[in-house]
Amino acid sequence: MKSPAGLLLAALVLPGAAAAQQPEGIPRTAASVELNLFNLDVVVTDAKGNPVHGLKAVDFEVRHDGKPVQVTNFSEIRGGSVPTGGAETPVPPGAPTRTGDEPETGSDASRPPRRIVLFFDRLQIPDARQRDELFGSIRRFLDRTLGEGDEAMIVTWSRTIRTVQPFTGDPDRLEETLQAIERRSGRIATEKAELDMLRAEDSWFTKLAEEPDPGSGFLQPIVGTDFGGYMPSAELAAQQAYFEMKAKTAALKGLNATLGGMDGRKVLVIVSHRFSRYAGLEFFLKSRSDVSDLGDPRTRQFDTKRYLEEVTRSANANGVTLYAVLPAGLESPQPSAAETLGIAPDATSGALGGREELALKNEMEALAFVAERTGGVSAVGTGTVPAFVDRVAADLDSSY
């Protein structure tokens, strides 16, 4: 049995028992007890990601600060229907004896409300087909998951957070907001312009190195030489990417805290353009880089792991499950005729697109980190989006 997708189970800790009812005519006494309630929603899936049904309270073990906590309230939600009854609910020692008139555990008339945040991270998807698939899948997800009492909020990010649509259950308002975001996302990624600038600087410095040395009349050595003239610009671009990741993760922590004050099932879906483990890694690479180039310590200079860990801790503390998708997937490399012979390919050069592949793996690592540590899943590429949103919807439909 696998239970990755959001350990959120309902556990009740009763330090004391209520006093038994006194017969009429006898003076009554009142006492107060401290009640600690821990609400956990748990999604259980098998190895193929399919929901597992029919589990009972005895199938779970809940620990708090390393100590076992007795589960007293337990129910199963299936497909948004009424929670299933018949769950074996353990009775804490000292609790009053059930008379049979009390409602059964899990017999609530409705499922818990759903709170969904869609976080659009500076989307830049010039391909119209990819945009249609992404936003069509998101619309289908909201249609499937939002019912009576449910709410969704839409947030955008572009170096600062902006609440485009506050929490609402109105499908028309959500659709209007999605249309506006879809129109703005049809742009070429800004990183391409920065990479073109770095490539031009690299080409210029390489060309200077190819010119004859005035003292010797011979060309300077080229093979194996790192001219590095563009590195100050690369480090500046990477540092800016690092600061943006720091601000972005702080914004996500704020959203987790907002959701933490709400009841019901809470998920935050990150639709990302850049969410890097090593910020700005692509700026240190060239178009025909391979994995050996990651041995350069400069590529790991701006490690964001501590910020990713802060996001997961805040999500878990507030009962929020994170789901993350990078819809653009592998970006297409763009060769340039302006490249000089010093950086043009030869018989031993790596394949074009090495930078894009390494950058994608860098994004995938960060997305998987925050999703898996909060019980969610991650995906890359528009082709995976339909299955991705189906998985999020299924997790919302089936829980304990």
Side-chain angles (χ1 to χ4, degrees), residues 10 40 62 93 98 102 113 125 154 171 180 203 243 293 295 329 332 336 384 388:
L40 301 171
V62 180
R98 295 176 61 90
E102 303 89 342
I125 308 175
I154 299 178
S203 178
F243 288 145
D293 291 319
S332 300
S336 172
T384 67
F388 170 78

Side-chain angles (χ1 to χ4, degrees), residues 216-235:
S216 65
F218 295 99
L219 294 177
Q220 294 183 12
I222 302 245
V223 178
T225 300
D226 179 12
F227 302 104
Y230 69 99
M231 272 301 168
S233 298
E235 291 181 350

Side-chain angles (χ1 to χ4, degrees), residues 131-347:
R131 291 199 307 274
D132 289 343
E133 187 168 29
L134 170 63
F135 285 93
S137 298
I138 291 174
R139 291 183 177 99
R140 180 164 52 85
F141 165 69
L142 292 178
D143 289 341
R144 174 178 172 180
T145 56
L146 290 182
E148 185 68 28
D150 301 330
E151 293 182 310
M153 178 169 73
I154 299 178
V155 175
T156 62
W157 172 268
S158 183
R159 297 201 170 180
T160 185
I161 194 170
R162 181 185 173 200
T163 303
V164 178
Q165 176 58 62
F167 275 108
T168 181
D170 187 342
D172 292 333
R173 293 171 63 184
L174 293 170
E175 171 60 22
E176 182 180 354
T177 303
L178 288 176
Q179 288 180 3
I181 296 174
E182 183 176 5
R183 288 193 298 269
R184 290 197 300 268
S185 66
R187 300 171 294 171
I188 297 176
T190 54
E191 286 82 4
K192 287 187 178 295
E194 293 176 292
L195 290 172
D196 286 343
M197 180 195 70
L198 292 175
R199 180 169 55 187
E201 289 191 14
D202 186 31
S203 178
W204 186 79
F205 282 105
T206 301
K207 184 178 180 181
L208 289 181
E210 293 173 350
E211 294 179 354
D213 186 335
S216 65
F218 295 99
L219 294 177
Q220 294 183 12
I222 302 245
V223 178
T225 300
D226 179 12
F227 302 104
Y230 69 99
M231 272 301 168
S233 298
E235 291 181 350
L236 178 59
Q239 189 175 55
Q240 290 175 337
Y242 177 76
F243 288 145
E244 181 164 352
M245 271 296 294
K246 180 179 179 181
K248 190 185 304 182
T249 52
L252 290 172
K253 289 192 296 181
L255 290 173
N256 289 334
T258 298
L259 284 167
M262 307 179 74
D263 61 340
R265 288 279 280 113
K266 297 166 283 192
V267 302
L268 197 165
V269 181
I270 305 170
V271 187
S272 178
H273 172 70
R274 275 292 184 276
F275 199 76
S276 311
R277 166 61 195 275
Y278 297 104
L281 176 141
E282 63 266 35
F283 298 123
F284 296 108
L285 304 175
K286 297 183 181 181
S287 59
R288 297 182 182 273
S289 293
D290 58 37
V291 70
S292 64
D293 291 319
L294 299 181
D296 186 339
R298 289 174 296 191
T299 62
R300 302 184 303 278
Q301 185 177 171
F302 300 105
D303 189 352
T304 67
K305 184 177 180 180
R306 64 171 176 150
Y307 299 124
L308 301 178
E309 289 175 336
E310 289 175 1
V311 170
T312 60
R313 283 197 296 267
S314 69
N316 290 328
N318 289 286
V320 180
T321 305
L322 301 181
Y323 296 85
V325 61
L326 185 76
L330 183 65
E331 298 175 358
S332 300
Q334 300 294 329
S336 172
E339 292 181 345
T340 67
L341 291 178
I343 55 177
D346 56 29

Side-chain angles (χ1 to χ4, degrees), residues 15-198:
Q21 185 174 0
Q22 298 284 343
E24 285 191 23
I26 298 178
R28 298 183 180 184
T29 59
S32 62
V33 296
E34 181 181 353
L35 183 66
N36 294 322
L37 181 65
F38 298 88
N39 289 317
L40 301 171
D41 293 334
V42 181
V43 175
V44 183
T45 61
D46 60 20
K48 295 182 179 180
N50 300 314
V52 176
H53 298 297
L55 299 178
K56 302 180 184 302
V58 294
D59 297 317
F60 296 87
E61 181 181 81
V62 180
R63 291 178 175 270
H64 180 63
D65 289 337
K67 300 178 181 178
V69 177
Q70 190 167 22
V71 179
T72 59
N73 285 19
F74 183 87
S75 62
E76 179 182 0
I77 305 294
R78 293 193 193 181
S81 60
V82 177
T84 59
E88 296 181 359
T89 306
V91 179
T97 305
R98 295 176 61 90
T99 64
D101 297 329
E102 303 89 342
E104 290 293 329
T105 300
S107 62
D108 298 329
S110 62
R111 59 165 172 75
R114 297 165 176 172
R115 315 297 181 188
I116 300 169
V117 174
L118 297 176
F119 182 84
F120 289 96
D121 174 16
R122 195 163 53 88
L123 287 186
Q124 296 171 330
I125 308 175
D127 190 312
R129 180 188 57 81
Q130 291 182 338
R131 291 199 307 274
D132 289 343
E133 187 168 29
L134 170 63
F135 285 93
S137 298
I138 291 174
R139 291 183 177 99
R140 180 164 52 85
F141 165 69
L142 292 178
D143 289 341
R144 174 178 172 180
T145 56
L146 290 182
E148 185 68 28
D150 301 330
E151 293 182 310
M153 178 169 73
I154 299 178
V155 175
T156 62
W157 172 268
S158 183
R159 297 201 170 180
T160 185
I161 194 170
R162 181 185 173 200
T163 303
V164 178
Q165 176 58 62
F167 275 108
T168 181
D170 187 342
D172 292 333
R173 293 171 63 184
L174 293 170
E175 171 60 22
E176 182 180 354
T177 303
L178 288 176
Q179 288 180 3
I181 296 174
E182 183 176 5
R183 288 193 298 269
R184 290 197 300 268
S185 66
R187 300 171 294 171
I188 297 176
T190 54
E191 286 82 4
K192 287 187 178 295
E194 293 176 292
L195 290 172
D196 286 343
M197 180 195 70
L198 292 175

Side-chain angles (χ1 to χ4, degrees), residues 16 23 27 113 181 196 202 209 260 335 359 364 369 375 389 395:
I181 296 174
D196 286 343
D202 186 31
M364 292 169 59
F369 185 93
V389 298
D395 285 356

